[in-house]
Amino acid sequence: MITEDMFTIILLFSLFIIGESEIYIVTIEGEPVISYTGGVSGFEATAVEADETLDVTSDLVSSYSLHLESKHDSLLETLFDEGTYKKLYSYKHLINGFAVDLSPQQAETLRGSLGVKSVDKDWKVRKLTTHTPQFLGLPTGVWPMGGGFDRAGEDIVIGFIDSGVFPHHPSFRNPDSEPYGPIPKFRGKCEVDSDTKKSFCNGKIVGAQHFAKAAIAAGAFNPEVDFASPLDGDGHGSHTAAIAAGNNGIPVRVHGYEFGKASGMAPRARIAVYKALYRLFGGFVADVVAAIDQAVYDGVDILNLSVGPNSPPATTRTTFLNPFDATLLAAVKAGVFVAQAAGNGGPYAKSLVSYSPWIMSVAAAVDDRRYKNHLTLGNGKILAGIGLSPATSPNQKYTLVAANDVVLDSSVTKFSPTDCQRPELLNKNMVKGNILLCGYSFNFVIGSSSVTKVAQTAKTLGAIGFVLAVENVSPGTKFDPMPIGIPGILIIDVDKSMELIEYYKASTLRDWTGRVKSFKARGMIGNGLEPILHKSAPVVALFSARGPNIRDYSYRDADLLKPDILAPGSLIWASWSPNGTDDVNYIGENFAMVSGTSMAAPHIAGIAALVKQKHPHWSPAAIKSALMTSANILDRGQKPILSEQHSESETLIFVPATPFDYGSGHVNPRAALDPGLVFDAGYQDYLGFLCTTPGINYHELLNYTHHPCNYTLGHPYNLNSPSITISHLVRTQTVTRIVTNVNEKETYTITTRMGPAIAIDSSPRSMTIGPGASRRFTVTLTVRSVTREYSFGEVMLKGNRGHKVRVPVVAMGYHR
């Protein structure tokens, strides 16, 4: 099975195959639509206030957009001869600039030209790749509050920057019983399938476009594999869209077995598809920025980004300032909530790929569902393994035959017959009616062999089932169970595999040449179709990226907590594209079980849609605050959440999780709908954060935001976020926060706790806040002892009406 980490290796390797792309993202002087306040003769202001929706139908917006595009064209035509460059996109709504394909020498000419503010070489992005509605309490605790599952997310549009969609999947069908009506506020376009001549939209899907101009210019795009349309040739995009907004109650059937019923978090929400990711190479920032720009222009409410950079952009000094994050800041200014996958670089520190405070960065959890199986040997030993398969006949043991003992010809060993990928290499008469024993080689790691092919080989040869034994594996390798159409099991523990092999050797009689005279080893495979539910859930997944957050590419710590929140992201069932090739074990299937922070982010996007539905006028920051302050730090057994980690010997262990693993904690949808208080913030607050970030380049800031630094927070940790982080605490620092009451009048008591190295106090100790009112409070942190390690704690605001608002606190003391 190809994991997301292996896919990253393939993407990075493809850079050397494809060659360097000469694509640049250029910003120029002049305000984009979203922040243009007037001043250009003949064009009235189009700027929106913070969190106000952009009116895309306005003639003012249309005319000013055309004006900006003509300026882009004029600049290029003035500088370069026709045919020596190719403009790919004009960015007009969120940033003012364009993407262009030209030579490095021409890029230098652009950099020195009057009116040009920045020229950034394009860089690559990659994907950061059911039972969870029940695990999160949606059917009984949240959906009824919005009118039931058939109204959950009604009229909320979620935009997906991903690999497209398979529109014919039942998760995206427009139901006959409750058909979707028009949604006037949304103005998205719908591309037409060139083969069927039918629209990719159907009422549930309200927008479907693809963006590949940068990929084409770079020579990376292959229309035979990537599809020049919104059609999902990968599976990833269909999966993320269904997690957030797939229809409710869709039977999950794979290989003839049903694994429950799937539903999105907001099953009545609409889906807008912006395809900018592709199977073999991921994507290019120029295409992604164009997709984001279009999504906000179209009027999406929520934006899901299960995507992150391959590497830091080379031309920017801080993690928060580049065309990608600047475009998302403008999206948030327009009132769009953004959820982004935190990354899959865990469990290592500073492995995040989502940095900015205006984005909700989502870590991945293992939920309460585990799939296990077992193999019972003829000697009575039971070996644990994994495999979503039916059992062999009860109380009946079958003969085990190893693939290398049933090859038709010794010359076929060059084809790795023990992988069991080619049935024509093995003797059918010797395999039929028995259990085929195969070996897990490096071919499975790189994707040239698959468990699905093993199952197909066993079935073709008439085997009762198969066992795939892992004899050698890199420490820390993680195996995910996968559905199998016949009895089958993967023995992933090397010691258990050795027990199996020793039993087989001892039970198999051979002649003096080593040829088998009699197969005497026996076994039976258990039932792996039913999950086991654990109380020790959620647990932070091993692969989930960890903090601390970084402020620059020297990896210096930022005064901002990331990730923000934890959501289910391991072994998630959701829709798949039959065209999808992202996982060889699910080719041709309609559903897949996939892991990654890619799967965690759409959980948050869908839950944010439910919050937006109940509170339509809340800002993105208020929605983010509601999700964070209501999150859980205890598992279902009411014990502190644990985190998967590597021991010194690289074996899997469980350690107490910290805010660098889960941010504020695991999402609690029901509590997020009624948080009591919110920590609100807007565009000016984010500018203040940028202006006070150490090492910020004010010229760069002006280039990307069109605003000078005339507003400061004093310190970046004074941003009004629902977390507090001081990476370099010297003696005593006081942090300010402002809360707004979104419920009835309530009196809150404020308590604090912190690790022994740092003292913490708050002022006032209690406060009464009326409906819609805001109150300020301070938190003072003092270094008690210098440990050069982070201390963790919290500020808890408990209301007399039952609301609990939790703020995680993280600090490292440097001087007393």
Side-chain angles (χ1 to χ4, degrees):
M1 175 179 180
I2 296 182
T3 66
E4 293 199 10
D5 288 338
M6 296 169 203
F7 184 78
T8 300
I9 294 170
I10 294 170
L11 284 180
L12 293 174
F13 179 69
S14 70
L15 285 174
F16 297 98
I17 299 172
I18 295 169
E20 188 178 10
S21 168
E22 301 297 313
I23 300 167
Y24 296 85
I25 299 173
V26 182
T27 61
I28 66 172
E29 288 182 355
E31 300 276 4
V33 167
I34 198 167
S35 56
Y36 172 59
T37 55
V40 178
S41 179
F43 298 97
E44 295 184 34
T46 58
V48 298
E49 297 299 322
D51 311 322
E52 182 185 337
T53 302
L54 185 67
D55 181 8
V56 300
T57 63
S58 164
D59 290 339
L60 299 178
V61 169
S62 298
S63 61
Y64 185 65
S65 295
L66 289 173
H67 164 71
L68 292 180
E69 186 164 2
S70 68
K71 285 190 66 177
H72 303 162
D73 294 336
S74 177
L75 174 65
L76 290 168
E77 290 166 2
T78 302
L79 292 175
F80 309 120
D81 294 333
E82 185 178 352
T84 64
Y85 67 92
K86 183 177 182 181
K87 191 189 78 170
L88 306 177
Y89 299 105
S90 271
Y91 305 127
K92 303 162 289 189
H93 307 114
L94 305 180
I95 60 174
N96 178 19
F98 51 85
V100 61
D101 184 21
L102 38 64
S103 70
Q105 293 77 17
Q106 288 173 309
E108 285 304 313
T109 301
L110 265 176
R111 281 194 182 94
S113 299
L114 188 65
V116 173
K117 304 181 80 172
S118 66
V119 179
D120 292 301
K121 186 135 183 250
D122 196 8
W123 68 102
K124 284 196 161 190
V125 294
R126 64 174 184 263
K127 295 168 295 177
L128 302 171
T129 283
T130 190
H131 163 79
T132 46
Q134 286 73 25
F135 178 66
L136 295 171
L138 295 175
T140 57
V142 177
W143 289 346
M145 299 173 72
F149 74 84
D150 53 350
R151 291 290 177 268
E154 187 78 70
D155 291 339
I156 302 296
V157 180
I158 306 177
F160 296 88
I161 313 293
D162 217 299
S163 66
V165 71
F166 184 70
H168 314 297
H169 197 282
S171 290
F172 310 125
R173 188 173 293 144
N174 190 345
D176 296 331
S177 57
E178 290 280 345
Y180 288 96
I183 187 162
K185 69 175 184 179
F186 186 73
R187 318 287 287 189
K189 300 173 185 175
C190 296
E191 292 185 25
V192 173
D193 189 319
S194 59
D195 293 327
T196 65
K197 308 305 179 187
K198 292 183 179 179
S199 171
F200 279 91
C201 297
N202 61 5
K204 172 72 172 178
I205 301 171
V206 293
Q209 302 171 65
H210 82 287
F211 301 81
K213 291 179 181 178
I216 293 169
F221 187 84
N222 180 353
E224 296 296 320
V225 176
D226 299 314
F227 302 120
S229 77
L231 184 64
D232 187 2
D234 181 279
H236 191 271
S238 299
H239 203 269
T240 57
I243 290 171
N247 290 329
N248 180 61
I250 306 301
V252 178
R253 291 193 182 97
V254 180
H255 297 311
Y257 296 95
E258 185 172 314
F259 294 91
K261 289 181 168 56
S263 173
M265 301 297 101
R268 192 66 181 175
R270 313 295 183 95
I271 293 168
V273 175
Y274 301 89
K275 178 178 171 180
L277 300 180
Y278 298 89
R279 168 70 185 107
L280 293 178
F281 58 89
F284 291 85
V285 170
D287 289 329
V288 172
V289 168
I292 296 168
D293 189 72
Q294 187 65 51
V296 176
Y297 177 83
D298 291 345
V300 301
D301 299 295
I302 312 286
L303 203 54
N304 182 79
L305 290 161
S306 291
V307 56
N310 272 3
S311 58
T315 55
T316 56
R317 299 187 186 184
T318 71
T319 52
F320 314 121
L321 267 187
N322 55 71
F324 181 73
D325 284 79
T327 302
L328 291 174
L329 174 56
V332 170
K333 182 184 180 185
V336 178
F337 175 91
V338 179
Q340 185 185 17
N344 294 331
Y348 307 107
K350 299 186 179 182
S351 53
L352 293 152
V353 296
S354 178
Y355 316 104
S356 296
W358 46 89
I359 299 167
M360 188 151 214
S361 308
V362 188
V366 180
D367 66 18
D368 62 343
R369 182 188 56 194
R370 312 283 197 278
Y371 286 99
K372 295 183 179 180
N373 206 341
H374 62 275
L375 171 69
T376 304
L377 300 179
N379 61 8
K381 285 190 175 181
I382 298 175
L383 306 181
I386 58 174
L388 279 65
S389 83
T392 51
S393 297
N395 303 317
Q396 182 177 349
K397 292 186 174 71
Y398 295 88
T399 300
L400 299 175
V401 295
N404 57 349
D405 285 329
V406 295
V407 292
L408 288 171
D409 188 323
S410 60
S411 66
V412 303
T413 53
K414 62 183 178 182
F415 298 114
S416 303
T418 57
D419 284 5
C420 299
Q421 300 294 294
R422 300 175 64 174
E424 67 273 15
L425 303 181
L426 306 179
N427 189 324
K428 184 172 184 177
N429 293 329
M430 299 179 75
V431 175
K432 188 175 181 179
N434 300 320
I435 294 176
L436 181 62
L437 180 58
C438 309
Y440 188 95
S441 71
F442 185 67
N443 293 331
F444 289 87
V445 177
I446 63 175
S448 60
S449 295
S450 72
V451 177
T452 296
K453 284 290 290 182
V454 175
Q456 290 171 355
T457 296
K459 189 173 182 179
T460 300
L461 296 173
I464 290 295
F466 70 89
V467 178
L468 188 56
V470 178
E471 301 176 56
N472 187 18
V473 68
S474 299
T477 300
K478 187 173 183 293
F479 295 89
D480 285 342
M482 61 210 67
I484 304 162
I486 65 172
I489 187 170
L490 179 63
I491 307 296
I492 59 177
D493 186 307
V494 173
D495 292 337
K496 299 296 183 187
S497 292
M498 290 300 106
E499 284 188 45
L500 168 61
I501 292 167
E502 290 303 318
Y503 165 71
Y504 178 82
K505 286 180 177 178
S507 304
T508 303
L509 303 179
R510 301 177 185 272
D511 62 20
W512 66 274
T513 66
R515 182 175 297 176
V516 174
K517 294 172 60 178
S518 178
F519 294 99
K520 297 293 185 181
R522 300 284 187 273
M524 63 180 182
I525 298 169
N527 181 1
L529 295 173
E530 297 297 325
I532 301 168
L533 301 182
H534 284 241
K535 279 191 174 181
S536 58
V539 174
V540 181
L542 183 72
F543 58 80
S544 186
R546 288 359 189 228
N549 194 12
I550 57 172
R551 71 173 192 253
D552 57 35
Y553 298 113
S554 297
Y555 285 82
R556 283 177 286 201
D557 294 6
D559 290 328
L560 177 72
L561 180 63
K562 291 285 177 173
D564 292 305
I565 201 163
L566 184 68
S570 179
L571 306 181
I572 305 299
W573 279 114
S575 77
W576 199 248
S577 173
N579 305 307
T581 56
D582 189 31
D583 190 320
V584 292
N585 292 298
Y586 293 103
I587 292 175
E589 297 294 339
N590 280 312
F591 290 91
M593 185 169 62
V594 188
S595 299
T597 53
S598 280
M599 287 66 244
H603 279 89
I604 294 300
I607 295 166
L610 300 176
V611 178
K612 179 80 172 178
Q613 181 188 18
K614 184 177 180 184
H615 305 285
H617 301 298
W618 278 13
S619 69
I623 296 173
K624 181 180 176 184
S625 172
L627 292 165
M628 290 177 66
T629 60
S630 60
N632 294 324
I633 59 171
L634 301 178
D635 65 17
R636 291 184 60 168
Q638 295 305 299
K639 295 180 179 179
I641 290 176
L642 298 176
S643 174
E644 293 183 341
Q645 187 58 261
H646 282 150
S647 68
E648 290 184 5
S649 61
E650 292 291 305
T651 57
L652 182 68
I653 59 173
F654 297 90
V655 299
T658 75
F660 290 149
D661 303 317
Y662 58 48
S664 292
H666 191 270
V667 64
N668 181 347
R670 184 171 187 172
L673 291 177
D674 182 20
L677 303 174
V678 296
F679 294 78
D680 211 349
Y683 187 68
Q684 289 298 323
D685 299 296
Y686 296 129
L687 291 181
F689 168 84
L690 291 171
C691 288
T692 50
T693 296
I696 201 78
N697 183 303
Y698 295 112
H699 180 69
E700 270 186 10
L701 180 64
L702 189 62
N703 288 348
Y704 286 117
T705 68
H706 303 274
H707 284 272
C709 277
N710 51 16
Y711 172 64
T712 178
L713 300 174
H715 297 280
Y717 51 69
N718 279 325
L719 175 69
N720 200 44
S721 69
S723 63
I724 296 171
T725 300
I726 303 180
S727 62
H728 199 104
L729 178 62
V730 177
R731 299 184 182 89
T732 296
Q733 297 289 340
T734 298
V735 179
T736 301
R737 288 293 184 270
I738 299 172
V739 289
T740 300
N741 189 351
V742 292
N743 206 289
E744 298 179 19
K745 183 178 179 180
E746 195 164 3
T747 298
Y748 285 86
T749 301
I750 305 177
T751 58
T752 58
R753 67 174 179 84
M754 198 72 190
I758 294 174
I760 185 171
D761 196 10
S762 66
S763 178
R765 299 289 179 86
S766 70
M767 53 188 180
T768 300
I769 315 176
S774 297
R775 287 287 303 272
R776 183 186 305 266
F777 70 95
T778 60
V779 177
T780 301
L781 300 170
T782 302
V783 178
R784 280 177 170 165
S785 59
V786 178
T787 63
R788 297 296 173 95
E789 293 182 351
Y790 276 101
S791 295
F792 304 104
E794 68 178 22
V795 177
M796 178 68 80
L797 295 87
K798 291 185 179 180
N800 63 337
R801 295 174 52 85
H803 290 107
K804 293 181 180 179
V805 179
R806 182 181 171 278
V807 179
V809 181
V810 177
M812 184 190 295
Y814 270 77
H815 298 288
R816 295 182 61 183

